[in-house]
Amino acid sequence: MSPILEGKTALITGAASGIGAAAARVFSRHGARLVLADIDDEGGQSVAEGVAKNGGEAMFVHTDITSDREVAAMVQAVVAAYGRLDCAFNNAAIDGAMAPLHEASAENWEQVLRVNLTGVFLCLKHEIAQMLRQGGGSIVNTASVAGLVGAGTTPASAYVASKHGVVGLTRQAALEYAEQRIRVNAVCPGAVRTPMTQEAIRQGLISLEDIVGLQPVKRLAAPEEIAESAAWLCSGLSSFITGHAMAVDGGWTAQ
């Protein structure tokens, strides 16, 4: 069987670490040529070099996804390098400061929404414009289980609101462009072994034991497991799926 992304050009944001770095490895293994984007130049370049060392093809582009100008330049860089944009994984996000809603700062709220929601909007805007010119494509946004349900007593109002927004934006974009052969879906990870999770544990916001205890499967996901789901949604194997928010959560939202 041929790799599911063979011959495709894929764009991955937030590619310097965590799920984005895992996606670079997974998408490359599935045959994609990659453009990797992040604000972390050192990390992003390192991931691109790692893909190349393993026989893949990847280039890194510094991009702040909250900048309309930089996102436009990112998509232009993809087209300049490879002629088209077949699939995009809009994965860049932050968790922001954790505080009870009545104590949360307006500055933190604005920053989290600017990165997690406005950033996805800007990526969609420019990716879809290119896909309309070329006659189609597939886009996957990283939402979260926090885009499907609340986060319980974890004080994460801005993060939860931003990820619910990503799910809504995904569904609307899918409907607007279905007839133009542009598919838009979201992956909604549960607890994943990433630097973001490790930082929450370090800050004492939650313990590893508590996170594992919340999972029906009693473990955290590896970043590659989320990346594989995104690769499948980007591929032709999911050709009749659009507007879907796929929970990749070890049964979390089934409880």
Side-chain angles (χ1 to χ4, degrees), residues 198-219:
Q198 292 167 355
E199 180 61 18
I201 293 170
R202 188 193 67 78
Q203 292 183 21
L205 298 172
I206 193 167
S207 70
L208 177 61
E209 292 75 17
D210 286 344
I211 297 176
V212 171
L214 291 169
Q215 315 301 312
V217 297
K218 300 308 177 193
R219 68 175 180 86

Side-chain angles (χ1 to χ4, degrees), residues 81-135:
Y82 298 116
R84 59 185 292 112
L85 173 63
D86 297 296
C87 45
F89 182 29
N90 297 324
N91 168 73
I94 60 172
D95 53 4
M98 298 290 183
L101 193 150
H102 73 285
E103 297 176 354
S105 71
E107 292 77 15
N108 181 70
W109 171 271
E110 290 166 359
Q111 181 187 26
V112 172
L113 270 289
R114 186 165 59 249
V115 175
N116 293 4
L117 185 53
T118 302
V120 171
F121 158 73
L122 292 174
C123 288
L124 285 170
K125 171 185 171 181
H126 292 287
E127 292 158 0
I128 288 170
Q130 172 58 31
M131 290 177 179
L132 287 170
R133 287 190 287 268
Q134 67 192 35

Side-chain angles (χ1 to χ4, degrees), residues 156-237:
S157 55
Y159 184 81
V160 172
S162 71
K163 293 302 186 177
H164 272 70
V166 170
V167 170
L169 184 58
T170 296
R171 289 171 173 157
Q172 182 59 32
L175 295 174
E176 287 188 30
Y177 298 99
E179 292 186 13
Q180 284 75 41
R181 301 179 62 202
I182 298 172
R183 296 187 300 111
V184 187
N185 293 291
V187 288
C188 299
V192 185
R193 199 175 295 277
T194 63
M196 189 180 290
T197 301
Q198 292 167 355
E199 180 61 18
I201 293 170
R202 188 193 67 78
Q203 292 183 21
L205 298 172
I206 193 167
S207 70
L208 177 61
E209 292 75 17
D210 286 344
I211 297 176
V212 171
L214 291 169
Q215 315 301 312
V217 297
K218 300 308 177 193
R219 68 175 180 86
L220 275 63
E224 286 76 12
E225 292 177 288
I226 313 305
E228 289 284 3
S229 301
W232 182 77
L233 285 171
C234 279
S235 79
L237 295 178

